[in-house]
Amino acid sequence: MIDLHHPVRDPQSAGHESPTGPVPVVVVGAGGMGKTWIRTVLDNDAAVLVGIVDVMDGAAERAVSELVPEHQRSAVVTGTDSATVARQAAAEAVIDVTIPAAHHKVTADALHAGYPVLGEKPCAATLAEAVSLAGHAETTGRLFMVSQSRRNNPHLGETRRLADELGGAGIVDTRFYKAPRFGGFRDEMEHPLIVDMAIHAFDAGRVLIDGNPVAVTATAYNPVWSWYAGDAAATVTITYDTGAVHTFSGSWAAPGAETSWNGDWQISCERGSVHWDGEEPPTARPEGGEQHPGRAPAPEARWELDASLSEFCAALRGGPVPASEVHGNVWTQAIVEAAVRSAGTGRRVLLAEVLDEALDAARELDLADGRSRALSTWKTGISGLTTT
Ligand SMILES: NC(=O)c1ccc[n+]([C@@H]2O[C@H](COP(=O)([O-])OP(=O)(O)OC[C@H]3O[C@@H](n4cnc5c(N)ncnc54)[C@H](O)[C@@H]3O)[C@@H](O)[C@H]2O)c1
């Protein structure tokens, strides 16, 4: 069981512990996204920045001088080792913004040192590592939440509300067409669109649709003019146990009429349809009625990273378990893994299949690591995610 209210026991952290005050956090990973997280923490009253860590010598210190106001700098501990900085800084929680390959170790180490973790997506580099982290969270009883920031868009919540008024989302169709020239690792990935971008749409689809995903069929391809080495385009169909279906089609090599970064969404419900362009408030059109706009977000609404951080801190102060607590988030990574497998084999892939294989591999990882035996009680991959 996850004990969200269990405070860090380290005596050195006693000075910062307060069941009602802002949560003292260390940001681990001071790269591009780490800097965005540092700004987010500095601007959010629910948290206080007490440390920055990066394995690259000097990177944490550079982030402090670049981003932290001068009068706050002396209160921010820096270094290359997370455990040391977190202890010296009397942190209560860790934000893991390292590269995906480091997520498993950084997060598992923090959980076992007693720190709840808010981790950037993806949960881990592989589905097996993600399942293993669910086990580490169970073993330690600490909260591990994955920040899948695009699900925290108030327009998406409004889209869900409008769809519910019309009988609930039955078919969700996402179109995503962009033409970014990133350079770097995405240009070399085998499945840049599915793994690095469509994961957000798969996760947002889960916000709109009730139930759990069951199976995925995917085709991945690379337009002849594409500047990516791997497949920059894909069509993915995800079926849910409620009978709802989410289709995603998109390309990262699509110059011309581009969609928003959230994509363009059409939702078909029993009594009408909802459309969201990914940027403006959604619109609803009831059967036989006029199209009408959804509500604009409240001025105090929290968005994306800021919303993730608020939800995480609230959970540590007695609030509800976040929907993206690791067990909830692993489903999204399982959709990605199933889509990649389907694209490679040409067959429909069950989530039960990829999750059971991941569970076997995660048990091997945990056996070698020696710190977590929680997965030994999971009967199947799916039951482990649904019964904690
Ligand atoms: N939510 C989003 O929209 C979004 C956007 C971009 C990136 N991300 C995610 O954010 C994470 C970081 O991405 P990025 O673009 O900042 O990468 P990056 O390469 O710019 O930065 C990663 C940093 O982590 C450091 N690092 C690596 N291993 C470490 C370890 N063991 N301990 C401490 N520091 C370590 C590196 O030195 C580097 O400075 C990734 O998981 C990525 O998928 C999310």
Side-chain angles (χ1 to χ4, degrees), residues 28-34 53-56 97-100 102-103 106 120-122 149 200:
V28 183
M33 202 60 187
V53 176
D54 198 290
V55 278
M56 278 197 334
V97 205
T98 59
I99 52 172
H103 286 185
V106 169
E120 248 306 337
K121 69 89 198 164
S149 57
H200 289 294

Side-chain angles (χ1 to χ4, degrees), residues 131-132 134-135 138 359 362-363 366 372-379:
V131 169
S132 162
E138 288 179 25
L359 176 58
R363 284 177 174 146
D366 290 356
S372 171
R373 287 188 42 78
L375 298 183
S376 62
T377 64
W378 287 29
K379 290 194 172 58

Side-chain angles (χ1 to χ4, degrees), residues 281-301:
T283 55
R285 183 160 189 159
E287 184 180 14
E290 293 294 310
Q291 177 168 300
H292 62 88
R295 297 173 189 157
E300 68 277 12

Side-chain angles (χ1 to χ4, degrees), residues 34-107:
K35 289 180 181 162
T36 306
W37 269 107
I38 290 166
R39 287 189 202 96
T40 303
V41 173
L42 289 169
D43 288 345
N44 188 319
D45 290 342
V48 55
L49 183 71
V50 294
I52 301 177
V53 176
D54 198 290
V55 278
M56 278 197 334
D57 254 338
E61 291 74 14
R62 280 195 296 279
V64 169
S65 46
E66 197 183 313
L67 302 169
V68 180
E70 212 162 333
H71 68 278
Q72 283 172 258
R73 287 183 194 162
S74 61
V76 180
V77 181
T78 55
T80 53
D81 181 70
S82 305
T84 309
V85 170
R87 197 173 50 249
Q88 286 174 352
E92 197 185 324
V94 162
I95 303 181
D96 178 1
V97 205
T98 59
I99 52 172
H103 286 185
H104 185 267
K105 179 166 173 24
V106 169
T107 293

